[in-house]
Amino acid sequence: MASQSQSQTQSIASPKLSGYQTDGFFDELVDEKTVARPDAELLIDRINKLPAEELLRRQKAIERALYQMGITFTVYSDAAGTEKIMPFDIVPRIVSTMLWHHIEAGLKQRIKALNLFLGDIYNEQQIVKDGVIPSDLIESASTFLPQCVGLKPPRNVWCHVTGTDLVRDNTGAVYVLEDNLRCPSGVSYVLQNRHVMKKNFPQVFSASRVRPVRDYPARLYQMLRGMAREDINDPTVAVLTPGVFNSAYYEHSYLAQQMGVELVEGRDLVVEKDVVYMRTTDGLQRVDVLYRRVDDIFLDPEVFRPDSMLGVKGLMSAYRAGNVALANAPGTGIADDKVVYAFVPDMIRYYLNEEAILANVPTYVCSRAEDRKYVLAHLDELVVKAANESGGYGILIGPHATQKERAEFAEKISENPRNFVAQPTLQLSRMPTLADGKMEGRHVDLRPYILCNSEDDVWVMPGGLTRVALRKGSLVVNSSQGGGSKDTWVVADPGQSVAIDELS
């Protein structure tokens, strides 16, 4: 009887997800026998008790809510219509306390090193002089902006807002897939995902001790205010958007509304005597801080692209004079370069004298003759990426590509090896996802968002955007390529604040 009782207790404590198969992949919520991982037990038990049609009903209710809230993104290449509702999946990701500590420490370390690299590369370039990074790699990068040489942002912070893409392999190890330091997007989906999700599993959400995310806009606003000149007591902050046709315009307007600041376009601003003003019905009003969601090269037609209609003439002069603060600082795109990415572990050793807490995905740099030779001989095994593409574009997934596609990429690599890197095809972790009315495994990644006030004041949002490849077997999670998103629940430590108040 004791044995039977123990078995029943174990079964109740660790339910199996009914009718689900991991297919040999590492799964975020269940183990290889589909038994719930410790922090997912309540969620799996709840899913098991809900009929498939009820899950589907809740999924459709969420989709309607997202549609009514206007949570959209733009796909420029979609002939059927550019405006899309961000697909959402009802099963949340759960991140354990221990795993989150590891991720958080690794991201803080990485941001610290990247800020030091940016300050160095646009000034002394000591890392180049010491032979850690080849000079031609920097000089040949389209994202290295000579116009930013000599810049020294306040507190030496270049990347105030960062979105770092993480993946887990078949062992559960966490890797950094890429850094996004120019205009990282997606945080509005994190906040809205939580808004719609908390109503669908309220009891499980409350009992799971989930850390809150809704203070992100307040933290962002306080960070932006703190960037203003010290002699300005009540700084004016604004969000600079390229306009309604930008793919992330919804997010720009949402964040401006949440922070209670103006949303402006370049045509709304004017620079006079190195001071930035916005046009209002009451005349010109000074702007002290711009959270810019406009790419570097479009910021100022007098300094960067002269044909830019999105920026503001004289903005860089005002920035150099210290009369306006910009987040992120211009020039950060060099750290987004996927070739430069390969050297981040070297940066961490060089600047911090530490080993990277979060490893890079092993990367072949095609500008190296030996790496290029290997890549060209193993295109059927590798993922090849263009150095400065994003959104899932400019990628060849070798095992899934045709012979013709591999041949085309081989030609591109041979013509311009500096523009390509290659990585092994990781078996990305998966998660239960509602597909055609039943639970199936789909590949996921995670983009946490990091706010940096100073070298020693870095905050990582406890959660992030879990992106999911909704197409069966696909490794591409980008929304522009058929991907969707999930809510991300980070489990709180004892004593930490929890998101119970978000149920209101």
Side-chain angles (χ1 to χ4, degrees):
M1 288 294 292
S3 175
Q4 184 179 1
S5 174
Q6 183 179 6
S7 174
Q8 287 174 343
T9 302
Q10 199 170 28
S11 175
I12 292 170
S14 302
K16 296 181 70 170
L17 181 55
S18 302
Y20 182 71
Q21 299 294 326
T22 62
D23 299 323
F25 291 96
F26 181 89
D27 195 277
E28 299 290 338
L29 295 186
V30 299
D31 65 16
E32 67 278 5
K33 296 179 180 178
T34 73
V35 174
R37 298 190 185 281
D39 292 306
E41 290 164 354
L42 291 172
L43 176 65
I44 297 302
D45 185 55
R46 182 64 177 145
I47 290 173
N48 283 339
K49 291 176 179 176
L50 285 173
E53 54 270 22
E54 173 60 16
L55 279 171
L56 192 58
R57 187 196 66 78
R58 295 187 185 200
Q59 177 81 37
K60 291 186 180 299
I62 287 175
E63 289 171 353
R64 283 195 300 272
L66 294 174
Y67 180 80
Q68 289 165 0
M69 285 189 281
I71 302 176
T72 62
F73 66 97
T74 302
V75 181
Y76 299 113
S77 61
D78 192 335
T82 59
E83 206 68 13
K84 299 272 188 178
I85 300 298
M86 171 66 108
F88 177 80
D89 183 71
I90 196 170
V91 184
R93 181 188 202 140
I94 298 181
V95 182
S96 70
T97 297
M98 185 177 296
L99 177 60
W100 186 251
H101 284 321
H102 174 67
I103 290 172
E104 185 178 43
L107 291 174
K108 288 182 176 181
Q109 178 197 56
R110 195 172 182 94
I111 295 305
K112 187 175 183 178
L114 286 168
N115 267 314
L116 290 169
F117 164 72
L118 288 162
D120 183 15
I121 211 67
Y122 281 111
N123 288 277
E124 293 82 8
Q125 294 201 349
Q126 200 61 47
I127 196 169
V128 173
K129 294 172 184 174
D130 288 341
V132 178
I133 296 179
S135 59
D136 62 326
L137 187 149
I138 301 299
E139 293 163 3
S140 62
S142 63
T143 48
F144 178 73
L145 304 179
Q147 301 93 327
C148 295
V149 169
L151 283 181
K152 295 184 183 292
R155 301 177 194 156
N156 296 315
V157 175
W158 291 73
C159 43
H160 305 85
V161 183
T162 307
T164 303
D165 293 343
L166 308 176
V167 294
R168 298 179 80 184
D169 70 2
N170 231 28
T171 69
V174 179
Y175 292 89
V176 176
L177 188 63
E178 62 181 56
D179 302 287
N180 298 282
L181 282 77
R182 276 175 288 188
C183 304
S185 62
V187 74
S188 61
Y189 303 123
V190 177
L191 301 172
Q192 295 290 41
N193 286 353
R194 178 62 55 83
H195 178 76
V196 295
M197 190 62 197
K198 65 192 180 185
K199 294 181 171 66
N200 281 275
F201 293 105
Q203 292 84 8
V204 176
F205 183 86
S206 178
S208 295
R209 295 186 48 78
V210 182
R211 292 184 63 185
V213 297
R214 74 175 184 185
D215 59 341
Y216 177 88
R219 286 180 177 270
L220 174 63
Y221 179 60
Q222 288 304 316
M223 182 197 73
L224 294 170
R225 280 179 58 90
M227 291 170 57
R229 274 183 8 197
E230 291 184 1
D231 61 327
I232 299 174
N233 295 324
D234 188 19
T236 298
V237 177
V239 176
L240 176 60
T241 176
V244 295
F245 297 109
N246 183 263
S247 61
Y249 180 75
Y250 166 78
E251 176 159 300
H252 306 164
S253 59
Y254 175 79
L255 289 175
Q257 184 269 330
Q258 289 292 303
M259 290 190 290
V261 304
E262 293 293 333
L263 179 68
V264 298
E265 298 180 31
R267 62 188 176 180
D268 301 320
L269 302 176
V270 63
V271 177
E272 294 183 359
K273 297 181 180 179
D274 286 344
V275 176
V276 180
Y277 298 92
M278 61 179 168
R279 296 181 173 91
T280 75
T281 54
D282 296 324
L284 297 180
Q285 179 183 351
R286 179 169 177 163
V287 176
D288 305 297
V289 183
L290 280 172
Y291 177 30
R292 56 104 177 176
R293 298 296 295 260
V294 174
D295 232 2
D296 299 18
I297 59 173
F298 297 105
L299 278 174
D300 185 341
E302 289 185 344
V303 176
F304 302 115
R305 283 186 55 158
D307 62 341
S308 173
M309 303 293 288
L310 305 176
V312 188
K313 287 183 179 181
L315 181 60
M316 286 299 293
S317 179
Y319 180 64
R320 283 187 177 274
N323 293 328
V324 68
L326 297 176
N328 288 342
T332 50
I334 182 63
D336 280 0
D337 187 298
K338 292 178 177 63
V339 180
V340 173
Y341 154 93
F343 292 85
V344 175
D346 298 315
M347 295 178 199
I348 292 171
R349 292 186 201 98
Y350 180 77
Y351 294 116
L352 306 181
N353 196 28
E354 299 170 359
E355 289 300 314
I357 296 170
L358 296 175
N360 272 17
V361 176
T363 303
Y364 299 96
V365 177
C366 292
S367 57
R368 296 172 179 156
E370 188 175 339
D371 283 10
R372 182 167 65 255
K373 182 180 179 181
Y374 179 87
V375 169
L376 291 172
H378 296 83
L379 281 176
D380 60 332
E381 304 170 10
L382 301 170
V383 175
V384 182
K385 300 178 180 179
N388 292 295
E389 294 284 350
S390 61
Y393 298 104
I395 291 179
L396 175 84
I397 300 179
H400 298 169
T402 64
Q403 183 59 43
K404 181 183 178 183
E405 290 169 335
R406 290 195 289 267
E408 289 172 352
F409 257 77
E411 188 175 339
K412 291 178 183 177
I413 292 168
S414 299
E415 288 176 355
N416 185 10
R418 165 62 181 82
N419 195 45
F420 293 94
V421 297
Q423 297 169 333
T425 307
L426 295 183
Q427 287 190 297
L428 300 185
S429 65
R430 299 201 316 187
M431 274 194 63
T433 301
L434 193 60
D436 298 323
K438 62 179 185 292
M439 288 295 166
E440 293 185 355
R442 293 292 187 268
H443 296 290
V444 293
D445 78 353
L446 176 63
R447 177 179 289 185
Y449 294 88
I450 307 107
L451 300 180
C452 182
N453 286 291
S454 66
E455 183 177 310
D456 299 315
D457 185 4
V458 180
W459 178 77
V460 184
M461 173 197 270
L465 185 64
T466 289
R467 301 185 298 178
V468 53
L470 295 174
R471 295 171 185 160
K472 190 170 185 175
S474 174
L475 298 173
V476 182
V477 299
N478 306 81
S479 55
S480 57
Q481 304 288 306
S485 68
K486 292 170 172 279
D487 195 10
T488 307
W489 297 1
V490 173
V491 179
D493 273 322
Q496 284 184 321
S497 62
V498 294
I500 294 176
D501 63 310
E502 292 187 343
L503 292 170
S504 59

